[in-house]
Amino acid sequence: MSAREAALAKTYDPAGTESRWQQAWETCGAFHPDPAAPGEPFAVVIPPPNVTGSLHMGHAFNTALIDTIVRYRRLAGNNVLCLPGTDHASIAVQTILEKQLKAAGQRKEDLGREAFLEKAWAWKAESGGTIVGQLRRLGYSVDWQRERFTLDAGCSAAVVEAFNRLHEQGLIYRGEYLVNWCPASGSAVSDLEVEMKEVDGHLWHFRYPLSGGSAAAASSGRTHLEVATTRPETLLGDTAVAVNPRDPRYAHLVGQTLTLPLVGRQIPIVADDHVDAEFGTGCVKVTPAHDPNDFAIGQRHDLPLITVMAKDGTMNEAAGRFAGLDRFDARQAVVAAMEAEGYLVKVEPYRHSVPFSDRGKVPVEPLLSTQWFVKTEPLAARCREALDAATGANPRFVPERWAKVYRDWLTDIRDWCISRQLWWGHRIPAWFVVSETGGLITDSTPYVVARDELEARAKAEQQFGCGTHAHPLVLEQDPDALDTWFSSGLWPFSTLGWPDADAADLERWYPTSVLVTGFDIIFFWVARMTMMAGALMGDGLAGDGSPDGSRDGNPAAWIPFRDVYIHGLVRDENNRKMSKSAGNGIDPLLLIERYGADALRFALVREVAGAGQDIRLDYDRTSDTSATVEASRNFANKLWNVTRFALMNLGGETPASLGQPEPAHLQLADRWILSRLARVNRETAERYASYGLGEAAKGLYEFAWNEVCDWYVELIKRRLNPGENPSPDALVDQRTARQVLAKVLQELLLMLHPLMPHLSEELWHGLTGQPVETFLSLQRWPVLDVAALDDVLESSFAELIEAIRVVRNLRAVAGLKPSQSAPVQFVTGRPTLAALLTAATADITALTRAERVDVLSAQQGSRQRALAGVSGELQVLLPIEGLVDLDALRARLDKDIAKADKEIKGLAGRLANPNFADKAPPEVVAECRANLAEAEAQALLARQRLADLD
RNA sequence: GCCCGGUUAGCUCAGCGGUAGAGCGCCUGCCUUACAAGCAGGAUGUCGCUGGUUCGAACCCGGCACCGGGCACCA
């Protein structure tokens, strides 16, 4: 049922309307752009949510903002591409599947890689569409035909190509380093996937005896050093104790040897600047294979690395009698043993930070292992240069302050561990020449990086010679997968057709226009995308990975987005970040069901006025209601009804059939609303274009409700219904009112469209009678009518409104029933104001239930008893003898007097200050004098009226 | 430790040099033929504290307090 047919429904029902338009848009391919189409390109690739995910408020918020921007751009005439997709969420998906397997008593190894991946794809096919379907319910104007998935053929090809090129440039290497090991997922994770958490633990103090026969031991009288640790189980892997080189207490012991308790290993005392002499005893046990700081110390002093833990988090053979114990059980056991053997000095409660795996939710173990890394510094350096380019920041952050966060992260950046011991993901395009190492992949097995196995074989043959029958060349692809963010880092160009440099989409829409995202993924995503682009979309780096110096091109050509618009997070009513783990999420779908997608979108955008600020969404969990969203729903309903009013009053005509109003026929109210319309048009376009989305929403809300509905529509009701046998003039007037109303509404709907796409589409069709497949979404932003702008008119209209308000207030104060009419007198000494009021007599009569309206000069002012109010230079009188509540009236006048007196006091005080007149700008002083004169006149008038009452 | 926000009406937030605004909520009166998801009217704040700059500060500068966030992390 269209708006036209449903003209009698009193309230807007979003459910049916929204799904109908979503379907129509998609069926018609409304948002499927042609790269060859005209218009300045405008592209946004949306931050791909996890396929595992379901829609949460953060997605809804991000979507509302992006869609508002791109819908505006479409109206503004850009050739807009908004490209959706999902990422494959390596760890998350694998965790889900392994859980399912475990429930069935299986492990993935039982299935084998191939079968496991089949299962994974089946799972993806089944539940991967959830979030995408939910995004559709928001009315997202993305090109679904271009929807991408990080594991699809195109993205996968991009990953292989990117890996190869980075490797060729020396930006990817393989090596044995201490990495963050997540025992829960059985994989390495990157630094970013580790979250430090404050934990209540203990600090154990242990005695490490100096080795017997030590000369220093004898001379100093010391028999041991005391060390403290939060992780006793690691002492099994200690290979030194470090002290500060300038610590006088221990200087003479450096170079001596200690006997490691429980193990008996002889370990040296080394001097290292890392040690803080002030902290604890000033002695630190060094476990290079299990702590990043210790690893660094170990490298400086050439200490052996002793790994005492296996990858599943249990102690290994090197842990001696503790082998096989889980790391936390081992901790207890080691402490018990130390105590039993007299090495435990004391235990203190200790609050400290422990690294946790984001996904696995268990403490991460720093573990020595061979992994693939991206050498980040050359890439980061290039991004820093782009950000600080003399020609302007690339990308430009909105709000600007986020640029600092981004730059800080790109400074002192550590290499990025990209290999994951997982199956679900992009398999690393490296092939080990296992025939060289007896069929096994070891840390020293040679490998080749290639696009596919054929290329790998060719490369291997070149390097290792052709295989013979006796010694066939056997290759085995690296079993590991890549970090999901590796593929996400390619998203802005892999989705546009890269590595095909001639891809039409890439040519047309790269670099993209803006990236809209929360600040929580600046590092995960923004920085990695810019780094990847630096290596792959520019003109390359030198072979050793250092900037080749030859690049003088503009970073704007390769940085993947011109702007980065950073928005806040959605917080709950208690100001906590909404998240699944905290269980405080609000389901956007519930709100959509209750209030409509447009209402939710409008509420979210309306709240973001302070860009980059978090927003708080009120929510009542017992009833699943939100006052904020409800207010937006009410606004939608208001728009529905004002359009309904128009449909009932346009005499079956449309904006097109009515045509533009004749300037000569315009009345005061017409010219006023057209001036306002033009002003709002200009403001709103500026706001949309500069990410002032909240302001745009608020401005439109106020214009639509407080000006169009409250005043303009009320003012033209009389003209729209000229009654029986109207005069020719009345008919002209009616037509003019219809023309203006139709124009205002049509443009209002256009301007609101980015915020409330379904409702505006629906109402626009109702208003214009356009066929279904002609979309408001694809119309043009209304042309700004500069000639209509009229400051003087707007301010005198404000005076008229104020005059009407004073009358209404007086009526209310005096207790007049709305149905009672009363005579109104305006007394003013200002001819222009008098003229305005005289011209608007009919309007005032209609809006104040006036019996008659008289505009009098100051001299003519009535002396009879009357309700009296004062506003500026205007006296308003309601001479209704007998009906007057005198006390209320006196109170009202007293209030006027008090208000005027307060203003007089303030203004006079200011003017009395000689410095003010001297130093303040003349126009400010003049304004101050004028205000004072007005306030004095006002006080005088009010006092006179008060005296007249007695 | 380093860095970034915030503190304005009961709630959520605008305002960012000329003496305070909106929405919601609240109070009063209205089913006035678009809308009770509505209409009309009304009340409401030493703009966190404290110095300073200025003729003038919610707004600029310094200090303090509290709230929130990010990065780093000392065993």
Side-chain angles (χ1 to χ4, degrees):
Chain A
M1 183 167 52
S2 76
R4 226 154 235 275
E5 292 156 344
L8 290 180
K10 282 176 107 173
T11 53
Y12 172 51
D13 169 33
T17 306
E18 292 183 345
S19 63
R20 186 155 38 77
W21 286 113
Q22 284 157 21
Q23 249 178 343
W25 289 327
E26 195 169 338
T27 308
C28 296
F31 310 124
H32 178 61
D34 176 356
E40 196 187 325
F42 191 92
V44 177
V45 291
I46 75 165
N50 287 175
V51 267
T52 57
S54 57
L55 192 76
H56 59 63
M57 206 48 85
H59 295 128
F61 185 40
N62 181 256
T63 299
L65 296 175
I66 296 178
D67 199 49
T68 300
I69 292 168
V70 300
R71 281 183 183 269
Y72 167 69
R73 284 296 168 183
R74 231 173 257 122
L75 297 178
N78 289 86
N79 183 7
V80 174
L81 170 65
C82 189
L83 192 149
T86 47
D87 79 36
H88 62 279
S90 218
I91 297 186
V93 170
Q94 184 146 337
T95 306
I96 291 171
L97 290 172
E98 290 198 70
K99 226 176 250 174
Q100 288 177 3
L101 285 177
K102 199 175 171 186
Q106 283 182 299
R107 294 176 318 129
K108 69 175 190 296
E109 288 74 14
D110 302 335
L111 285 183
R113 188 170 188 129
E114 212 165 302
F116 180 82
L117 287 179
E118 252 170 54
K119 246 180 122 66
W121 278 104
W123 179 88
K124 191 257 171 189
E126 190 185 329
S127 34
T130 305
I131 188 147
V132 180
Q134 291 169 331
L135 285 172
R136 280 177 165 86
R137 293 195 57 183
L138 285 160
Y140 216 162
S141 65
V142 295
D143 182 1
W144 291 112
Q145 295 176 50
R146 281 189 174 84
E147 180 185 346
R148 298 299 296 275
F149 176 51
T150 46
L151 221 45
D152 67 24
C155 287
S156 299
V159 164
V160 169
E161 185 62 27
F163 191 96
N164 273 270
R165 289 201 198 173
L166 289 171
H167 185 256
E168 284 158 15
Q169 293 179 59
L171 291 166
I172 283 183
Y173 63 90
R174 181 174 147 89
E176 186 184 40
Y177 296 89
L178 211 51
V179 298
N180 302 299
W181 186 265
C182 171
S185 40
S187 174
V189 295
S190 74
D191 293 341
L192 287 186
E193 289 154 285
V194 170
E195 191 192 351
M196 300 304 275
K197 277 193 200 168
E198 288 267 297
V199 164
D200 283 313
H202 301 274
L203 194 57
W204 284 272
H205 293 251
F206 295 130
R207 218 173 262 143
Y208 280 15
L210 280 156
S211 298
S214 156
S219 68
S220 68
R222 273 183 192 276
T223 57
H224 62 268
L225 287 185
E226 187 180 320
V227 297
T229 183
T230 54
R231 306 190 56 204
E233 70 279 13
T234 64
L235 77 79
L236 302 169
D238 282 1
T239 54
V241 165
V243 298
N244 188 286
R246 281 170 302 282
D247 191 333
R249 291 172 296 178
Y250 308 116
H252 63 290
L253 294 174
V254 172
Q256 301 299 311
T257 305
L258 296 163
T259 303
L260 184 62
L262 307 186
V263 179
R265 182 159 57 239
Q266 297 300 300
I267 59 174
I269 298 169
V270 299
D272 195 280
D273 280 325
H274 169 75
V275 180
D276 177 1
E278 306 298 314
F279 188 89
T281 58
C283 302
V284 183
K285 64 190 266 317
V286 183
T287 323
H290 289 281
D291 181 280
N293 288 311
D294 293 3
F295 182 80
I297 294 175
Q299 294 218 302
R300 287 194 285 272
H301 298 276
D302 203 19
L303 299 172
L305 295 147
I306 298 177
T307 298
V308 295
M309 219 175 280
K311 293 188 170 168
D312 60 357
T314 63
M315 308 307 287
N316 67 12
E317 324 74 64
R321 60 177 140 142
F322 301 97
L325 285 178
D326 173 79
R327 53 185 171 155
F328 299 110
D329 297 334
R331 178 172 303 173
Q332 303 309 319
V334 166
V335 170
M338 290 292 275
E339 185 171 18
E341 298 185 25
Y343 295 115
L344 178 66
V345 181
K346 62 176 173 178
V347 188
E348 300 172 316
Y350 191 67
R351 195 167 172 75
H352 63 133
S353 297
V354 174
F356 275 73
S357 156
D358 258 358
R359 283 283 170 201
K361 303 295 169 202
V362 296
V364 149
E365 196 58 47
L367 210 65
L368 206 56
S369 90
T370 302
Q371 304 284 345
W372 293 89
F373 295 86
V374 170
K375 195 175 189 179
T376 42
E377 175 49 28
L379 299 172
R382 173 163 283 181
C383 291
R384 293 195 303 266
E385 283 160 24
L387 185 65
D388 299 325
T391 49
N394 293 288
R396 184 175 72 101
F397 278 84
V398 179
E400 214 174 333
R401 65 187 148 89
W402 290 110
K404 190 174 156 53
V405 176
Y406 168 78
R407 184 190 294 105
D408 285 351
W409 189 76
L410 288 171
T411 310
D412 295 326
I413 186 171
R414 279 190 287 183
D415 283 352
W416 171 19
C417 174
I418 49 169
S419 41
R420 298 288 179 274
Q421 287 60 54
L422 301 167
W423 287 354
W424 176 244
H426 302 278
R427 195 158 171 184
I428 293 176
W431 280 263
F432 290 99
V433 189
V434 292
S435 43
E436 297 288 309
T437 47
L440 294 172
I441 298 177
T442 69
D443 288 353
S444 55
T445 307
Y447 60 85
V448 290
V449 169
R451 268 87 180 163
D452 52 44
E453 189 160 355
L454 233 85
E455 188 185 306
R457 184 159 295 279
K459 283 187 174 180
E461 280 172 3
Q462 202 173 13
Q463 274 180 259
F464 303 98
C466 273
T468 63
H469 281 299
H471 281 288
L473 195 62
V474 182
L475 297 183
E476 194 175 322
Q477 189 173 2
D478 190 318
D480 289 349
L482 285 164
D483 183 359
T484 304
W485 294 101
F486 187 91
S487 51
S488 302
L490 311 175
W491 191 249
F493 39 95
S494 65
T495 54
L496 296 180
W498 189 89
D500 175 5
D502 298 327
D505 287 0
L506 193 67
E507 216 162 291
R508 179 65 162 158
W509 284 295
Y510 190 88
T512 67
S513 307
V514 59
L515 176 76
V516 181
T517 190
F519 60 78
D520 50 338
I521 58 173
I522 285 185
F523 313 131
F524 275 111
W525 209 43
V526 182
R528 280 163 175 178
M529 285 190 288
T530 55
M531 290 196 299
M532 289 297 211
L536 302 168
M537 300 308 289
D539 27 340
L541 293 168
D544 63 353
S546 64
D548 62 8
S550 70
R551 177 190 300 233
D552 50 3
N554 183 357
W558 59 266
I559 283 283
F561 11 78
R562 187 188 64 224
D563 296 344
V564 176
Y565 174 44
I566 299 286
H567 61 251
L569 272 29
V570 184
R571 300 189 169 276
D572 70 359
E573 63 279 12
N574 297 317
N575 203 25
R576 284 176 316 180
K577 175 178 169 178
M578 282 186 195
S579 73
K580 211 173 281 175
S581 51
N584 64 337
I586 298 172
D587 183 359
L589 297 171
L590 268 176
L591 289 173
I592 289 174
E593 242 164 70
R594 191 175 291 274
Y595 301 113
D598 284 347
L600 176 62
R601 293 170 53 127
F602 193 83
L604 290 170
V605 177
R606 198 177 130 87
E607 291 299 314
V608 292
Q613 231 44 50
D614 288 352
I615 65 169
R616 216 173 302 191
L617 195 65
D618 76 283
Y619 193 66
D620 183 336
R621 283 171 201 281
T622 56
S623 58
D624 286 329
T625 55
S626 163
T628 307
V629 184
E630 186 175 319
S632 295
R633 189 273 315 262
N634 293 352
F635 179 53
N637 189 234
K638 188 73 179 174
L639 294 165
W640 172 267
N641 271 292
V642 72
T643 307
R644 190 170 148 240
F645 171 82
L647 291 177
M648 293 163 79
N649 283 281
L650 292 183
E653 300 221 55
T654 65
S657 72
L658 284 161
Q660 291 291 316
E662 188 68 43
H665 295 151
L666 293 175
Q667 299 221 354
L668 182 70
D670 300 327
R671 283 186 286 126
W672 169 71
I673 201 68
L674 291 174
S675 176
R676 291 295 306 138
L677 179 70
R679 205 172 297 282
V680 169
N681 178 326
R682 189 162 69 185
E683 281 172 4
T684 307
E686 278 169 12
R687 287 165 172 168
Y688 277 142
S690 62
Y691 308 106
L693 308 182
E695 289 89 341
K698 283 182 198 175
L700 288 170
Y701 180 98
E702 280 165 22
F703 174 67
W705 202 316
N706 304 341
E707 301 191 296
V708 176
C709 293
D710 288 353
W711 291 98
Y712 186 69
V713 166
E714 292 306 321
L715 283 164
I716 59 169
K717 277 182 176 170
R718 190 171 42 84
R719 294 158 59 195
L720 290 171
N721 291 298
E724 302 283 317
N725 304 318
S727 67
D729 277 358
L731 284 175
V732 168
D733 205 27
Q734 181 192 40
R735 185 164 185 86
T736 304
R738 283 176 173 174
Q739 287 167 324
V740 176
L741 176 64
K743 177 182 164 74
V744 169
L745 266 188
Q746 185 177 16
E747 294 194 11
L748 177 62
L749 291 172
L750 263 159
M751 294 193 288
L752 275 164
H753 182 255
L755 297 158
M756 301 187 125
H758 311 89
L759 175 69
S760 54
E761 188 76 76
E762 174 80 3
L763 295 179
W764 184 80
H765 278 263
L767 190 66
T768 60
Q770 290 288 336
V772 174
E773 62 281 3
T774 301
F775 297 116
L776 172 63
S777 307
L778 302 178
Q779 301 304 305
R780 286 290 163 272
W781 186 261
V783 175
L784 175 65
D785 182 2
V786 182
L789 289 167
D790 189 337
D791 294 309
V792 177
L793 176 70
E794 285 186 34
S795 58
S796 44
F797 204 85
E799 284 188 303
L800 173 61
I801 285 176
E802 183 56 24
I804 291 171
R805 285 217 164 105
V806 174
V807 175
R808 286 172 171 172
N809 172 254
L810 287 175
R811 293 176 51 101
V813 165
L816 262 77
K817 290 237 180 301
S819 53
Q820 280 177 293
S821 66
V824 173
Q825 291 180 356
F826 294 110
V827 183
T828 177
R830 209 176 85 216
T832 51
L833 182 54
L836 172 76
L837 293 169
T838 306
T841 297
D843 293 331
I844 295 166
T845 305
L847 296 190
T848 63
R849 283 256 172 185
E851 189 178 297
R852 49 172 292 134
V853 174
D854 292 306
V855 181
L856 309 169
S857 71
Q859 291 76 24
Q860 301 167 305
S862 164
R863 297 264 112 182
Q864 71 187 114
R865 274 193 176 178
L867 298 167
V870 182
S871 163
E873 296 163 82
L874 179 69
Q875 255 191 105
V876 181
L877 302 173
L878 271 64
I880 37 172
E881 200 85 37
L883 284 171
V884 185
D885 176 343
L886 279 180
D887 288 338
L889 187 50
R890 283 199 188 89
R892 152 88 213 211
L893 283 167
D894 281 337
K895 210 181 95 185
D896 285 349
I897 291 167
K899 197 177 151 198
D901 281 349
K902 191 183 161 198
E903 210 180 326
I904 289 167
K905 202 179 150 196
L907 291 165
R910 261 211 283 175
L911 287 164
N913 183 343
N915 286 326
F916 177 66
D918 285 353
K919 299 189 179 173
E923 60 273 20
V924 171
V925 179
E927 194 193 330
C928 197
R929 290 226 166 85
N931 288 344
L932 179 61
E934 194 182 309
E936 278 170 341
Q938 201 167 335
L940 184 67
L941 288 173
R943 287 204 164 86
Q944 277 171 5
R945 296 316 318 185
L946 194 58
D948 290 344
L949 288 178
D950 300 317

